[in-house]
Amino acid sequence: MIKIQNVHKSFGPLKVLKGIDLTVEKGEVVTVIGGSGSGKSTLLTCINGLEPIDTGRILVDGTEVHARTTDLNRLRQNIGIVFQQWNAFPHLTVLENVTLAPRKVLGIGKAEAEAIAEKQLRHVGLGEKLSTFPSRLSGGQQQRMAIARALAMSPDYMLFDEVTSALDPQLVGEVLETLKMLAEEGMTMICVTHEMAFARDVSDRVAYFHKGIMAEIGAPEQIFGDPQHPETRAFLASVR
Amino acid sequence: MFGYTFQWNQALARLPKMLDGALVTMEVAMLSMLIGIALAILLTLLRLSGARPLRAIATGWVEIARNTPALFQIYMAHFGVASFGIHFSPFVSLLIGITFNNAGYLAENFRGALKAIPETQTRAGRSLGMSQLQAFRYIILPQMLRISFLPMTNQMVWAVLMTSLGVTVGMNADLYGVTQDLNALTFRTFELFAIAGVLFYAITKIITLGARVIAARLFRY
Ligand SMILES: Nc1ncnc2c1ncn2[C@@H]1O[C@H](COP(=O)(O)OP(=O)(O)O)[C@@H](O)[C@H]1O
Ligand SMILES: [Mg+2]
């Protein structure tokens, strides 16, 4: 369970998160929508401790992310994150991209790590590309590789930050399909997305962010069918 | 012509000795490169570190290495430290001087290379649970070395040429030192140094061609 309690976060004078409260249960899929600059990405990087917070608490399975005693390297093994920019490691093959962290971080042997990686790469439809270098892959393939790379650590949680936003339109579908598959398999996920149809389709709950505040959260039918907050209505009208 | 009679045979008879010297020259250059690369990586890490004194040491090293004559650096490694009662052999002093120079120049090359690697690469590694050092070692370093490969080859050529400065600290086993000693014995100055020049040229060519072969094998992407 991810528990976010009254989290405030600033970059210098800029207040980016102004008291966020959100609890994500095991197996739940929460999508986060909202305008650019509303703090969605920042929230994700706070959850896995890439960014510090000013006040409040974030608990992942009871471990306080920003406590001084927390081993962040260990915590991150359990929280996969995939960014808008897929960040393939260009000097490694697709297989090596995926085996790197299991081998070096978890200390898994080469053969076993390769078996895990192959399984994950097959799962995202890259079983034929194991010895290819990322530069030879399309954006959609690289993004699926990044997903497999995160999954190879067997995390309990996955965070997705606009993973289709940098893709050519014809490549968006294949990546969304991969996410949908994960959701159906019961992965606990927080997805920041601009794909409203996808959000409506896979989410247990949809959260609307506005200027560092979670203005509204609810079931997709409610958020898309009967938004309560005027800002939510305005936002949904603008993206339709 | 000019009253000087070429006597190539006399000089060529000394070729085996000069080839021995060439081997020593290559040995010094290679050692200075290997240690220099390791030190340059260390300097790069120091410059990336948050600790101000560490960064200052690294920056000072790079500044001195790049803005003073190599001759000064080698001289200091021999006669300079001797003032404090530290005595190195000419071989060791030459090696230290060139290594110091290599490390400084390479560290600067590495810094440029790092600028070409997006910050998000480290971030991706950290997100997978890697420590800062692991992310550097497995993600940044290989890319940095690849980007710096051409400058590293150039520095290796410089290292070979810098060995000629060893004579100033009494080095006589390397190609230049051997040639100078032979010249004192035979006075076939032009012939001997011409041969030495050809050998220096050959060594640097072998290095640049070798580097190309290595690059083709190493850099698969
Ligand atoms: N590292 C940073 N340093 C300074 N400002 C930042 C940084 N990251 C994000 N911001 C700012 O914080 C605000 C929220 O950013 P972000 O969380 O990326 O929004 P979103 O993902 O909702 O578009 C933006 O105004 C952005 O410019
Ligand atoms: Mg964002």
Side-chain angles (χ1 to χ4, degrees):
Chain A
M1 187 168 67
I2 297 176
K3 222 175 190 149
I4 300 163
Q5 296 174 331
N6 196 24
V7 166
H8 289 255
K9 157 88 186 164
S10 314
F11 289 111
L14 181 68
K15 291 197 164 86
V16 177
L17 298 177
K18 304 171 193 164
I20 301 294
D21 285 285
L22 172 66
T23 298
V24 180
E25 301 287 345
K26 263 273 159 67
E28 204 183 6
V29 177
V30 173
T31 54
V32 178
I33 59 174
S36 175
S38 56
K40 307 181 298 293
S41 299
T42 304
L43 181 71
L44 294 192
T45 50
C46 287
I47 292 173
N48 82 348
L50 280 174
E51 287 289 350
I53 59 176
D54 302 338
T55 59
R57 301 205 301 170
I58 300 177
L59 298 159
V60 177
D61 291 336
T63 303
E64 186 171 350
V65 176
H66 297 90
R68 198 164 302 175
T69 50
T70 297
D71 181 352
L72 281 175
N73 296 334
R74 200 178 180 86
L75 181 87
R76 290 185 190 127
Q77 294 167 21
N78 201 30
I79 309 173
I81 185 165
V82 182
F83 300 99
Q84 181 175 341
Q85 282 303 337
W86 35 85
N87 306 319
F89 303 139
H91 59 298
L92 300 177
T93 63
V94 168
L95 188 68
E96 290 165 344
N97 258 271
V98 180
T99 55
L100 182 65
R103 290 189 63 192
K104 304 303 177 190
V105 176
L106 301 178
I108 293 175
K110 188 168 190 247
E112 195 188 335
E114 286 181 348
I116 294 169
E118 259 192 76
K119 183 174 144 242
Q120 293 299 348
L121 285 164
R122 285 238 170 74
H123 204 48
V124 300
L126 290 175
E128 309 299 310
K129 301 282 182 188
L130 301 183
S131 50
T132 307
F133 282 93
S135 56
R136 297 286 186 87
L137 298 181
S138 73
Q141 289 171 327
Q142 293 197 47
Q143 191 57 293
R144 284 185 280 140
M145 183 193 80
I147 294 171
R149 193 168 70 183
L151 290 174
M153 297 294 284
S154 326
D156 287 329
Y157 303 96
M158 285 292 293
L159 313 176
F160 295 97
D161 189 6
E162 292 191 36
V163 291
T164 57
S165 291
L167 296 178
D168 292 336
Q170 73 272 19
L171 301 176
V172 167
E174 62 187 63
V175 174
L176 290 184
E177 278 308 312
T178 305
L179 296 194
K180 207 177 283 182
M181 179 178 75
L182 284 176
E184 278 159 14
E185 288 165 4
M187 175 62 77
T188 311
M189 304 174 20
I190 304 180
C191 305
V192 173
T193 187
H194 283 309
E195 301 288 336
M196 295 305 146
F198 167 79
R200 184 192 281 265
D201 203 21
V202 304
S203 316
D204 294 306
R205 284 185 298 158
V206 178
Y208 172 67
F209 269 52
H210 181 69
K211 295 187 176 162
I213 286 171
M214 194 168 74
E216 189 168 355
I217 183 164
E221 302 77 35
Q222 183 257 304
I223 295 289
F224 292 108
D226 182 23
Q228 299 300 305
H229 200 285
E231 291 294 351
T232 318
R233 258 176 255 147
F235 175 75
L236 289 174
S238 74
V239 296
R240 255 182 208 132
Chain B
M1 195 172 50
F2 311 121
Y4 186 89
T5 327
F6 289 110
Q7 295 185 19
W8 289 102
N9 284 343
Q10 242 197 71
L12 282 170
R14 265 57 180 209
L15 189 59
K17 270 200 172 147
M18 295 177 75
L19 286 173
D20 284 345
L23 279 181
V24 174
T25 282
M26 295 230 265
E27 185 188 344
V28 173
M30 255 183 246
L31 276 175
S32 74
M33 260 323 260
L34 289 177
I35 307 170
I37 290 171
L39 286 171
I41 292 171
L42 187 69
L43 289 175
T44 303
L45 285 172
L46 293 185
R47 288 218 269 189
L48 289 174
S49 84
R52 204 173 248 275
L54 296 183
R55 271 184 307 183
I57 291 171
T59 305
W61 183 321
V62 172
E63 287 293 308
I64 295 169
R66 296 175 68 237
N67 297 296
T68 63
L71 181 58
F72 159 84
Q73 293 159 25
I74 293 162
Y75 217 77
M76 273 301 197
H78 195 72
F79 298 114
V81 296
S83 311
F84 306 113
I86 304 168
H87 298 280
F88 294 125
S89 70
F91 180 93
V92 171
S93 295
L94 179 63
L95 182 60
I96 292 174
I98 299 177
T99 303
F100 177 85
N101 186 279
N102 284 347
Y105 271 92
L106 290 172
E108 194 61 13
N109 289 327
F110 289 169
R111 185 160 83 145
L114 285 181
K115 287 205 182 115
I117 304 171
E119 189 103 32
T120 50
Q121 287 278 305
T122 301
R123 200 158 234 247
R126 297 302 308 268
S127 296
L128 290 163
M130 289 185 198
S131 66
Q132 188 74 39
L133 207 59
Q134 282 179 319
F136 181 80
R137 162 75 184 79
Y138 298 115
I139 298 169
I140 304 304
L141 184 64
Q143 299 185 57
M144 184 185 89
L145 291 178
R146 178 187 171 150
I147 297 169
S148 312
F149 194 78
L150 190 64
M152 280 200 282
T153 310
N154 291 340
Q155 189 64 32
M156 178 73 189
V157 168
W158 272 111
V160 169
L161 302 184
M162 276 189 283
T163 60
S164 63
L165 300 170
V167 290
T168 61
V169 294
M171 177 74 174
N172 58 7
D174 65 312
L175 176 53
Y176 208 85
V178 167
T179 310
Q180 186 161 292
D181 282 359
L182 290 174
N183 181 42
L185 279 177
T186 63
F187 296 106
R188 300 320 312 167
T189 308
F190 182 85
E191 294 90 329
L192 285 168
F193 280 97
I195 293 169
V198 169
L199 288 178
F200 269 112
Y201 187 87
I203 294 171
T204 58
K205 275 293 149 193
I206 290 168
I207 288 166
T208 38
L209 290 177
R212 236 177 263 169
V213 174
I214 292 171
R217 296 207 138 207
L218 225 53
F219 303 136
R220 304 164 295 160
Y221 64 99

